[in-house]
Structures are given as structure tokens and as C-alpha cells.
Amino acid sequence: MDTSSLEYDYVIVGGGSAGCVLAHRLSADPEIRVLLLEAGPDREPFWVRTPAGVGNVFFDERINWKFSTEPESRLDGRRLYWPRGKVMGGSSAINGMVYVRGFDADYDHWQALGNEGWSWRDVLPYFQRSETSDSGGSTYRGGAGPLRVSFPHKQHPTTDAFVQAGTTIDIPRNPDIAGATQEGVGYLQHTIGGGMRSSTARAYLAPVRSRPNLSVAGESTAARIDVVNGRATGVEFFRAGTRQVARARREVLVCAGAIGSPQLLMLSGIGAPAQLQAHGLPVVQALPGVGANLQDHLAMNAGYEVRAGASMNAALSGWRKFVHGAGYLLNRRGPLAVGASHAVAFVRSDPAVAVPDIQLSFRPLSFAFDSKNQLRMHPFPGVQFASAMLRPRSRGHIALRSADPHAPPAIHANYLSDADDERVMIATLRWIRRIAAAKPLGDLVVREDLPGAQVESDEEVMAFVRRNSQTLYHPAGTCSMGRGPDAVVDARLRVHGVQGLRVVDASVMPTIVSGNTNAPTIMIAEKASDLILEDARR
């Protein structure tokens, strides 16, 4: 597609969880011309479509940015691996497909920070509009949206044991984690429909590709946003080895994610002046908050060996995995048609905490990546807990490494820089052990494999965390919405000081939501599409 002499009403940078939503909604008006640019390929490989294929795309550089943090001083100097989607659908094409919205208090807090229109009451209709839940439409759920959201067709008995163990220790049973409240223990839902991943590329983009007013360009890497007299006028990008320009009559919409969006703004001269000048970039708009306020959910995984038959490991190993693979190809069912995490508990690190601040996801299987980055099921029957500290106090930042748009930025996550985050991580392991010991799950447990019974004191727990914790792949906040000196966008997601430019993705979250970030990012884009069209009519 030659875009060198073409103009559009809207140019969208990033065909991920937010960009595909905007392309769908904005192009619904045949009078509006839309261009969607995506740095990765515009195709969906088999392992993207297949829910159990997450491990196969985790290190695939063809569709994955494969970022890493800078050495983290409070994690023994380790560089943590940050996979992010580089394919149409973005990270919704490579994530764990968990559908979690966050607590109502998260969004009420956004509004309390001065972001009018972002309370729970305001955003709930956009969650509903985005989804078709297999539970059907209701007061809290959507029944006619593009995104398919479903429970597995069958729950593993050990997953049932986890849920029952939670209730044994007085965690309230929650029949719908994405319903009236997120608190409690219950089964997870996933962005899966008909046994296939419901990425935003499949859910939002595929049905509207034939619209003549919508142009889609894969393998197109944005280099900078052109700003003339204080207004964004277009996007310069590389495609097929050539530098091209797409002009935007109305707006440029940046949807490149919590890493890519601040990087593109800085490459365009929008950011902290000192950093821009250090890389020889002119200061177009001084916004010190660009790249700041980075937040992420730090994860601590724990694993248990269980009795024979109480794990999916055997079914996903050896000759059995080929039998299940054939079954999946025939009917889109079985172990390959579900996500890795099957159930979840949201609990408090301390009774005085008003809203649960720990997420404990349960897998009736256990695995690790070998030295060749290949996913291997453990040779023993095992289960895993994937935990998250939901509201970290630590803040990091994204910085330019160079003025080259092809160079990855420097990611300073700054994990555990706030002492209270350590308290929450210690409480997390205590909760995991309580549930693992409670009936009926406790009756199935043979031993704790990770971290192991030798890890007991607070100091030993933190030593384990520093050596073994990982990201839960939820970066957010680096183009924060708000009014203060460090805010990057206003409550309508318009970049402060630059007309015709918005950021629409997880980077605009002023504080990270208490749960997985994909569904909230889709919600943000749904709401943004209304804001954009409203402003166009003024």
C-alpha cells in the first residue's frame, strides 16, 4: 500500500488491543477514512489462534518485541523479560487470555484524581459493549459485543478443589469474577470463542476489513509524529525499507502500548526536555511525565507436586499431547482450547486493606521454559499458583536509548523500590500456602516444589522473590491521564499542549488496575472512540 500521497481522517499507530478497537469503531462511518499501522505482521499464525499455544509465541521474535528491563537493583540485578505483541492484535494475540476488569474502586480512584468520566459507573457500559459473554447480557455483562468471553467447557477436578479450598478458609465464593464484584474465589473466564483466541485482530478487525474507508498496513514501524504549529499532522513510518508519511486531517491516535507510546512521543519531541536534548531531539512540547509513572504487577510463582491424576501434565506430555492436538483440530475442544490459568482468588494482604490487593491465579498444570526457551511440562504431576501484587507503590520509567526508532527503549521497572511492596509479596506466599493446605486441595498435595519448605522466614521469602519473581506482563501508566505537571493526556486522552494527538492504551492509566490489563485496555479504546467522534462533531 502506497501511502505517500494519501490523507486520512485518523491515523492509528499500533494494531494492538486498543488500535484494532478504534479501527473498528471509527471506520463504522463510511465518510471517515482510517489508516491502521502495525509494526508486526498482519497475519495470525496457528499458535496465536490456539489458546494453548501461548508458550509457542512467548519467545517468537517474529511476532514478539522481546523486551527486557534494565538490571533491577532490588531483584539481584536481574533483567526481567517483557514479552509484548508485535503482530496485528498486539499483546491480545500472545497473552494468557484472562478476562478480568479490575475493581470498581480502581476507576472511582481515577475520577477522584481529576479524570472526569472515568468512574466505574462511566466505564461499565464500555466493558459491556465490548463483549459477548457466554453467560449472556446482564446488568454487568455484555451479550452482543465483538469480543468473545467464555468459561472452559469443562473444569478440571483439581481446579474445583482450589475453589473449594478457598471457601474452606473463608474466601467468599464468587460465581462471576467479571460481574458485580471481583472479590473472592472463582473460575476464570477467557477471551476465547469457539475454541480459538479472541484477539482484537480477530474480534474487532477481521469483521470490518472489507470496509473501503479502512486501510490496514502491517510491518509498518512508526518513526515520529509530525507536529506543525502545535498540531499533529501525520505519522512518518518505515515500510518495506522506505520512509513514508501518512497525513491525518483530524487526529493521530497513538496506541503503541505502555512501552511504545512514550517512546514514539519522545522520538517526536514530546517529553522531558533534558532527555530529548540528550539524544539530539528538538523539544516540540515539554511534558516531563512522558515515560514516567511506569507500573507493573510483579509476580511470584509457586508450584506443588500433587497426586497422580490430579494434574494435566501427563495429558500435555509425550504421545498424549499429539492425541489432544488431533482432537483440537477436529472439534476445537480439549486441553488446547483453554488458557493456562483456570481459577483465581482476590484477597487482602492485611485485613485493614480496603480492597483486595493480591491476585492468586491457579493452574492445574505446571511447566517451565528450558535453556532453549521451549516450554516443558514438569515430569511429575504438578500445579502452579501465578500471583500478582495488584497495586504496587513502586514506580519506574521508560527512557530513550537512542534517537533511532528501531532501537528498543530502556525499561526501568524499579520493582520493590517501595518497602510496602515487600510486605505484600511476603503476604502473597502466606496466602498461597494457606490455600494449598486447605481441604480438599491440601489432600491432593504431595510437596511444595517451589519455593520449597526450606523458605519460611520473611527474609527467606524476600530472597526467593529477588531471585525468582517475574513480571505478570501488565505495564501501564507511562502516558498518564490527569491534570498535574506530570500528566501526559487529559480526561479525553488528548496530549497536553498538542492538538490533534491522543494516546489510547494502557499507558494512560494513572494507576494500574487491580487485575489483568487487557480487558481494561479494550474498554479504554471503546470509550475513546466515543470521545473522538464527539469531539469531531463539535
Side-chain angles (χ1 to χ4, degrees):
M1 182 186 64
D2 180 13
T3 62
S4 59
S5 61
L6 296 180
E7 286 190 340
Y8 300 84
D9 294 297
Y10 298 99
V11 177
I12 304 169
V13 180
S17 298
C20 288
V21 175
L22 290 184
H24 177 112
R25 296 301 184 190
L26 298 179
S27 66
D29 183 342
E31 300 301 314
I32 295 176
R33 290 177 55 80
V34 178
L35 171 64
L36 176 64
L37 299 173
E38 165 55 39
D42 182 17
R43 59 184 181 274
E44 187 179 74
F46 171 79
W47 288 117
V48 166
R49 295 193 299 272
T50 308
V54 173
N56 297 76
V57 300
F58 199 70
F59 291 99
D60 189 345
E61 62 185 11
R62 296 170 299 179
I63 58 173
N64 193 323
W65 287 102
K66 294 185 65 176
F67 292 122
S68 291
T69 70
E70 297 302 292
E72 288 291 320
S73 62
R74 292 166 179 83
L75 298 181
D76 287 355
R78 291 185 296 129
R79 294 177 181 266
L80 271 62
Y81 175 55
W82 278 25
R84 308 305 296 163
K86 186 183 180 183
V87 62
M88 202 64 73
S91 292
S92 77
I94 69 167
N95 68 1
M97 298 158 289
V98 169
Y99 185 84
V100 168
R101 293 175 171 179
F103 285 94
D104 53 2
D106 295 329
Y107 304 100
D108 290 341
H109 180 57
W110 289 5
Q111 174 142 307
L113 292 173
N115 297 298
E116 189 66 30
W118 289 93
S119 71
W120 173 244
R121 179 187 298 179
D122 294 314
V123 304
L124 176 58
Y126 293 104
F127 279 114
Q128 292 174 290
R129 186 170 86 174
S130 70
E131 71 162 336
T132 291
S133 168
D134 64 359
S135 303
S138 67
T139 303
Y140 296 97
R141 305 307 300 271
L147 190 72
R148 293 290 302 278
V149 179
S150 63
F151 286 104
H153 69 275
K154 183 181 180 181
Q155 297 290 355
H156 193 276
T158 308
T159 304
D160 294 334
F162 165 82
V163 173
Q164 294 170 37
T167 62
T168 297
I169 56 174
D170 298 324
I171 303 174
R173 174 75 171 88
N174 190 336
D176 188 356
I177 293 295
T181 179
Q182 191 171 284
E183 183 169 0
V185 60
Y187 299 102
L188 280 169
Q189 297 159 69
H190 303 88
T191 50
I192 296 173
M196 292 187 288
R197 175 193 292 272
S198 186
S199 69
T200 54
R202 175 175 289 271
Y204 280 89
L205 190 60
V208 302
R209 277 183 176 272
S210 61
R211 290 175 178 170
N213 60 321
L214 173 61
S215 297
V216 179
E219 298 180 340
S220 301
T221 301
R224 64 176 285 117
I225 301 159
D226 290 333
V227 180
V228 179
N229 296 324
R231 182 176 189 85
T233 61
V235 177
E236 299 177 28
F237 64 98
F238 289 97
R239 189 165 194 261
T242 63
R243 193 177 186 111
Q244 302 183 38
V245 178
R247 297 297 176 194
R249 285 189 289 263
R250 294 185 180 177
E251 295 189 32
V252 173
L253 307 171
V254 180
C255 306
I259 301 171
S261 288
Q263 179 187 24
L264 181 59
L265 291 185
M266 288 186 279
L267 291 172
S268 307
I270 303 169
Q275 183 174 177
L276 301 178
Q277 293 164 351
H279 294 285
L281 294 165
V283 180
V284 173
Q285 177 65 32
L287 284 177
V290 173
N293 193 45
L294 174 61
Q295 299 156 63
D296 183 36
H297 290 143
L298 185 63
M300 174 175 58
N301 293 333
Y304 291 84
E305 181 179 355
V306 293
R307 298 180 185 277
S311 166
M312 295 174 63
N313 285 8
L316 296 172
S317 303
W319 60 269
R320 294 179 181 85
K321 67 180 179 182
F322 297 107
V323 173
H324 287 299
Y328 174 78
L329 293 174
L330 288 173
N331 57 31
R332 306 290 181 190
R333 296 177 75 115
L336 271 66
V338 298
S341 296
H342 293 197
V344 68
F346 290 94
V347 298
R348 292 170 172 79
S349 61
D350 186 277
V353 174
V355 178
D357 57 348
I358 294 173
Q359 176 177 343
L360 304 173
S361 298
F362 179 77
R363 303 167 179 160
L365 49 90
S366 65
F367 60 85
F369 287 93
D370 64 18
S371 60
K372 297 181 179 179
N373 292 331
Q374 297 295 310
L375 186 148
R376 304 295 183 192
M377 307 307 296
H378 286 152
F380 55 84
V383 300
Q384 287 178 330
F385 288 76
S387 70
M389 173 176 54
L390 292 178
R391 290 188 297 281
R393 296 188 182 184
S394 303
R395 296 291 185 270
H397 68 279
I398 302 292
L400 286 181
R401 197 181 301 275
S402 80
D404 180 359
H406 295 99
I411 302 170
H412 300 268
N414 209 20
Y415 292 114
L416 302 180
S417 56
D418 189 293
D420 190 67
D421 290 351
E422 293 193 4
R423 177 191 64 80
V424 179
M425 294 302 287
I426 293 167
T428 298
L429 183 58
R430 306 300 184 209
W431 267 110
I432 290 172
R433 286 174 167 172
R434 285 185 65 192
I435 296 176
K439 291 181 177 295
L441 182 60
D443 294 334
L444 302 176
V445 169
V446 174
R447 65 179 179 91
E448 182 176 292
D449 177 57
L450 192 72
Q454 74 282 359
V455 175
E456 182 53 45
S457 69
D458 289 356
E459 292 76 14
E460 289 167 339
V461 172
M462 284 313 304
F464 171 77
V465 168
R466 285 189 285 272
R467 291 193 306 268
N468 296 279
S469 58
Q470 297 292 335
T471 172
L472 206 61
Y473 324 116
H474 298 161
T478 50
C479 295
S480 180
M481 172 171 50
R483 299 176 180 173
D486 292 328
V488 177
V489 301
D490 65 14
R492 300 185 75 82
L493 308 187
R494 299 171 297 197
V495 174
H496 290 299
V498 183
Q499 295 182 336
L501 179 62
R502 293 186 211 235
V503 179
V504 182
D505 53 36
S507 71
V508 306
M509 296 180 183
T511 52
I512 193 169
V513 294
S514 304
N516 303 68
T517 52
N518 187 240
T521 300
I522 293 170
M523 175 279 292
I524 288 170
E526 285 278 12
K527 181 174 171 64
S529 69
D530 277 2
L531 298 176
I532 292 163
L533 294 173
E534 287 171 7
D535 288 349
R537 290 191 290 267
R538 292 179 178 176

